[in-house]
């Protein structure tokens, strides 16, 4: 899946960071005066600027330093899964993340993680995450499912520095890499490189008002390589799904989207900017607003003399984040609002190969065809109450919220079209209790989520009467029904988490072990392979 040199590099880097953090766990000096009682999650939500696009916000870190490092294992089973997921999988991983104030003017953030996933009976999409892409390449039959493996790596770093007492500058880099492979024909190997970069500044106009702005750039490339190693005379077909599993069927061979032994890239480029406004009001009340605009463009394939650019796409993304924080003694309240909308169009290339004098062949492109028009909306409102906060550690935490998702798309293969609308709503609530007894701390979390949805699974029609030589689009009805049911079926999920931690030394370093379990049950399931899904996770780590 990954070449040995690259794999050794990541493993050594992870071991090095782990060694550094392990040494820090033993030798760290606590500069906050609150040994062993800092809640990492509470610190991150105590100020909305700590997690915004603009990294200047990390200057408001309320402690001198904090870090977490852990290893984990997750086991998942069940038939209540989406069309591209596994009913029997496990994940192993390790991750570290830390904030560090080097001086009163300079603050750093860093993180690194590694995950290994393996899942049985996986088919459906050939992409790592089909919901990130403008179209999908889907196995046309459900009989070729097999084992898939996924390795993901992440490196992230940020710096915030005060240029003057009013002006702060920042930079942030977030790099992801992944390798994905299916071990049964039709096989595919994917390699993903995804990097985001932001550069920002903030201005403190007054003690109570701060303005910020940042530039955002992201580039991702996921290369796909299709091949077979079994019986070579067997034919394999893929559905090029423009959306809602509506499109054209392609046979694996020497040309096309699934061309044999050819690394075909799906690339995306994002350019954008954000603006932030933070206001401190009397009586410990804060408001944070962030507006973001991004423009996305990309394509599948390469435009070259002997290579084909199969499609192009572009979209506009608008996003708003708002946070309102109120502190009343040891009770801290936070209200979060989030709204994101993306409008995307996908154009399929129209081309032909032409021979020039001398035997040279070139690819001539004509006006492309618009095959997809998609609208995606994410909206959420969430409330968090931290009660009995002492030394940055709440005794109680209550969370609740509503998440709304809506997707509308029109898919066209003239003169045929398909329209689809999917919407669902999550209602969720969680209660967390932390109990401190000397050097020991016990935590229990209980949560529940209810989901319901609806829409129009598929509405097919014609723009005009088709001609005799026009072929009707293909569709995978099984995956269409499974995805729609998975996203819109009434379902309930329960979560229970237990954690035990203990102060290890006078500097406040804590070791912990945590276990989390979730059970999801769907109702009136007709097309999925089951109505239950179970996930269990075990973690070992330290906070310092």
């Amino acid at each position: 899946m990954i070449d040995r040199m690259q794999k050794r590099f990541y493993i050594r880097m992870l071991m090095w960071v782990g060694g550094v953090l392990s040494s820090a766990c033993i030798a760290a000096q606590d500069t906050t005066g609150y040994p062993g009682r800092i809640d990492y999650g509470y610190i991150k939500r105590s100020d909305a600027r700590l997690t915004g696009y603009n990294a200047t916000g990390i200057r408001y870190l309320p402690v001198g330093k904090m870090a977490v490092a852990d290893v984990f294992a997750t086991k998942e089973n069940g038939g209540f899964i989406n069309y591209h997921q596994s009913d029997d999988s496990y994940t192993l991983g390790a991750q570290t993340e830390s904030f560090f104030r080097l001086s009163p003017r300079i603050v750093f953030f860093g993180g690194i993680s590694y995950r290994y996933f393996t899942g049985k009976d996986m088919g459906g999409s050939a992409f790592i995450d089909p919901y990130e892409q403008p179209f999908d390449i889907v196995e046309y039959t459900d009989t070729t499912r097999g084992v898939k493996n996924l390795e993901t790596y992440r490196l992230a770093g940020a710096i915030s520095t005060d240029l003057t007492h009013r002006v702060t500058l920042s930079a942030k880099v977030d790099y992801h890499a992944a390798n994905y492979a299916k071990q049964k024909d039709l096989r595919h190997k994917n390699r993903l490189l995804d990097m985001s970069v932001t550069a920002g500044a903030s201005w403190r106009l007054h003690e109570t008002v701060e303005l910020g702005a940042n530039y955002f750039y992201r580039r991702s490339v996921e290369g796909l390589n299709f091949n077979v190693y079994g019986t070579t005379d067997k034919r394999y077909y893929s559905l090029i799904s423009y959306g809602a599993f509506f499109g054209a069927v392609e046979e694996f061979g020497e040309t096309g989207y699934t061309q044999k032994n050819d690394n075909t890239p799906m690339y995306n480029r994002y350019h954008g900017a954000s603006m932030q406004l933070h206001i401190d009001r009397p009586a410990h009340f804060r408001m944070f607003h962030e507006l973001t605009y991004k423009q996305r463009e990309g394509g599948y394939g390469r435009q070259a003399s002997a290579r084909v650019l199969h499609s192009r796409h572009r979209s506009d993304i608008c996003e708003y984040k708002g946070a309102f924080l109120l502190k009343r003694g040891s009770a801290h309240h936070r209200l979060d609002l989030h709204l994101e909308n993306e409008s995307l169009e996908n154009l399929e290339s129209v081309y032909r190969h032409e021979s020039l004098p001398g035997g040279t062949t070139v690819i001539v492109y004509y006006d492309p065809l618009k095959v997809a028009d998609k609208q995606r909306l994410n909206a959420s409102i969430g409330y968090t109450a931290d009660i009995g906060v002492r030394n940055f550690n709440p005794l109680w935490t209550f969370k609740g919220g509503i998440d709304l998702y809506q997707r509308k798309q029109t898919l066209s293969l003239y003169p045929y079209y398909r329209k689809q609308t999917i919407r669902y709503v999550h209602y969720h609530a969680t209660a967390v209790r932390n109990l401190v007894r000397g050097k020991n701390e016990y935590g229990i979390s209980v949560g529940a989520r209810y989901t319901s949805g609806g829409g129009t699974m598929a509405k097919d029609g014609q723009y005009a009467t088709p001609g005799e030589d026009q072929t009707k689009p293909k569709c995978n009805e099984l995956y269409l029904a499974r995805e729609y049911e998975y996203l819109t079926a009434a379902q309930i999920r329960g979560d229970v988490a237990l954690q035990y931690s203990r102060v290890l030394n006078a500097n406040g370093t804590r070791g912990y072990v945590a276990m989390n379990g979730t059970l999801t049950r769907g109702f009136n399931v007709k097309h999925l392979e089951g109505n239950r899904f179970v996930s269990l996770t075990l973690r070992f780590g330290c906070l310092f």
Side-chain angles (χ1 to χ4, degrees):
M1 293 176 59
I2 180 172
D3 62 81
R4 294 181 179 178
M5 292 185 64
Q6 186 180 2
K7 192 169 186 176
R8 283 198 295 266
F9 168 74
Y10 280 112
I11 292 175
R12 289 175 181 175
M13 183 167 52
L14 189 63
M15 294 175 62
W16 177 78
V17 173
V20 171
L21 292 175
S22 299
S23 299
C25 283
I26 299 173
Q29 296 298 317
D30 183 12
T31 62
T32 67
Y34 304 110
R37 296 293 177 255
I38 294 177
D39 185 301
Y40 192 87
Y42 168 76
I43 292 287
K44 291 182 70 174
R45 64 178 177 268
S46 65
D47 194 319
R49 291 170 290 187
L50 291 173
T51 54
Y53 281 114
N54 195 340
T56 58
I58 65 176
R59 75 181 299 275
Y60 296 102
L61 182 70
V63 295
K65 56 186 174 182
M66 63 176 188
V68 61
D70 66 24
V71 295
F72 66 91
T74 299
K75 184 71 179 74
E76 295 179 323
N77 285 87
F80 192 79
I81 55 174
N82 208 342
Y83 75 100
H84 63 285
Q85 296 175 332
S86 171
D87 60 358
D88 183 2
S89 68
Y90 68 85
T91 304
L92 303 175
Q95 57 191 16
T96 66
E97 189 176 281
S98 65
F99 291 85
F100 179 72
R101 184 177 296 280
L102 180 65
S103 71
R105 300 166 62 94
I106 301 175
V107 180
F108 288 98
F109 164 80
I112 182 173
S113 67
Y114 168 79
R115 293 181 180 229
Y116 176 80
F117 164 89
T118 184
K120 298 179 180 179
D121 299 322
M122 294 185 67
S125 177
F127 290 107
I128 294 174
D129 183 355
Y131 293 103
E132 280 281 323
Q133 308 302 349
F135 69 92
D136 202 358
I137 300 177
V138 181
E139 296 184 35
Y140 195 56
T141 175
D142 198 42
T143 61
T144 56
R145 295 188 296 179
V147 175
K148 290 189 178 184
N149 297 319
L150 173 65
E151 290 180 289
T152 59
Y153 312 85
R154 180 193 179 218
L155 287 171
I159 181 174
S160 171
T161 179
D162 291 342
L163 195 63
T164 69
H165 72 286
R166 289 186 179 273
V167 179
T168 302
L169 302 179
S170 71
K172 183 177 180 180
V173 177
D174 199 341
Y175 173 79
H176 291 256
N179 293 274
Y180 192 42
K182 184 186 177 198
Q183 299 181 5
K184 183 177 179 180
D185 297 340
L186 178 67
R187 303 169 189 252
H188 60 81
K189 292 183 179 180
N190 305 28
R191 177 167 293 184
L192 171 68
L193 299 176
D194 188 348
M195 184 176 69
S196 300
V197 178
T198 60
S202 62
W203 300 266
R204 286 170 289 285
L205 304 179
H206 186 266
E207 292 181 355
T208 62
V209 180
E210 182 178 36
L211 291 175
N214 68 271
Y215 168 74
F216 175 89
Y217 174 78
R218 176 186 172 191
R219 178 176 173 83
S220 69
V221 180
E222 182 175 353
L224 279 70
N225 191 318
F226 293 89
N227 210 338
V228 295
Y229 294 105
T231 304
T232 57
D233 58 353
K234 184 176 180 180
R235 294 184 175 183
Y236 296 92
Y237 297 91
S238 299
L239 174 67
I240 311 304
S241 171
Y242 307 135
F245 305 95
F246 171 96
V249 169
E250 175 182 280
E251 182 180 354
F252 169 71
E254 302 298 329
T255 61
Y257 285 74
T258 59
Q259 184 174 341
K260 181 179 181 180
N261 290 326
D262 183 53
N263 185 25
T264 307
M266 169 69 81
Y267 66 92
N268 289 275
R269 285 190 297 268
Y270 299 76
H271 292 275
S274 300
M275 295 186 65
Q276 298 87 24
L277 171 64
H278 186 271
I279 300 176
D280 278 318
R281 303 292 294 173
H284 305 286
F285 180 68
R286 296 177 176 177
M287 293 187 295
F288 175 78
H289 305 276
E290 183 174 61
L291 288 173
T292 303
Y293 170 76
K294 303 174 187 175
Q295 189 175 79
R296 171 188 180 185
E297 61 178 13
Y300 182 71
R302 296 187 180 96
Q303 187 165 349
S305 59
R307 306 292 295 275
V308 176
L309 180 62
H310 297 282
S311 68
R312 294 179 182 270
H313 58 272
R314 71 172 306 278
S315 71
D316 295 293
I317 304 170
C318 297
E319 183 179 10
Y320 166 75
K321 291 181 181 178
F324 305 84
L325 297 93
L326 175 64
K327 294 185 178 181
R328 293 286 190 181
S330 63
H332 300 173
H333 307 269
R334 174 167 170 164
L335 179 68
D336 287 281
L337 303 175
H338 180 232
L339 182 66
E340 183 182 22
N341 183 77
E342 180 177 17
S343 300
L344 180 143
E345 66 175 14
N346 189 33
L347 305 174
E348 187 173 56
S349 299
V350 177
Y351 63 92
R352 71 175 183 178
H353 297 268
E354 291 188 358
S355 299
L356 299 179
T360 303
T361 301
V362 297
I363 300 172
V364 178
Y365 292 88
Y366 300 91
D367 291 339
L369 299 176
K370 184 177 179 179
V371 294
D373 190 349
K374 303 183 180 183
Q375 304 286 329
R376 176 182 59 84
L377 173 68
N378 281 299
S380 66
I381 179 171
Y383 168 72
T384 303
D386 291 298
I387 309 298
V389 179
R390 182 175 179 270
N391 300 339
F392 302 105
N393 191 17
L395 293 179
W396 287 93
T397 298
F398 300 97
K399 299 180 182 179
I402 301 174
D403 303 327
L404 168 68
Y405 174 85
Q406 179 174 276
R407 183 181 73 192
K408 293 183 177 181
Q409 49 185 350
T410 300
L411 305 319
S412 303
L413 192 58
Y414 193 85
Y416 301 94
Y417 70 82
R418 166 170 290 178
K419 295 184 178 182
Q420 183 191 65
T421 300
I422 290 178
R423 69 178 67 90
Y424 58 81
V425 182
H426 295 314
Y427 305 89
H428 55 89
T430 303
V432 182
R433 177 69 166 103
N434 294 314
L435 184 63
V436 179
R437 291 291 183 268
K439 292 185 177 182
N440 302 313
E441 183 171 347
Y442 307 88
I444 181 171
S445 172
V446 179
R449 187 184 76 177
Y450 174 75
T451 301
S452 64
T456 303
M457 184 169 67
K459 180 181 179 181
D460 295 342
Q462 301 173 2
Y463 296 111
T465 302
E468 295 181 356
D469 59 341
Q470 291 178 316
T471 304
K472 189 175 182 180
K474 301 296 183 180
C475 176
N476 189 315
E477 301 289 349
L478 176 62
Y479 287 156
L480 173 67
R482 284 183 177 177
E483 183 198 43
Y484 184 81
E485 185 171 74
Y486 176 80
L487 294 178
T488 63
Q491 55 186 273
I492 188 170
R493 189 183 80 179
D495 301 81
V496 177
L498 301 173
Q499 179 171 307
Y500 167 74
S501 65
R502 180 178 174 83
V503 178
L504 302 178
N505 56 33
N507 299 321
T509 301
R510 275 188 296 167
Y512 71 87
V513 57
M515 182 170 60
N516 172 258
T518 69
L519 172 62
T520 303
R521 187 184 187 281
F523 300 95
N524 300 319
V525 173
K526 299 178 181 179
H527 304 284
L528 300 177
E529 296 183 353
N531 64 355
R532 296 176 186 270
F533 189 77
V534 179
S535 176
L536 295 173
T537 300
L538 182 63
R539 292 181 179 273
F540 297 91
C542 65
L543 299 101
F544 50 96

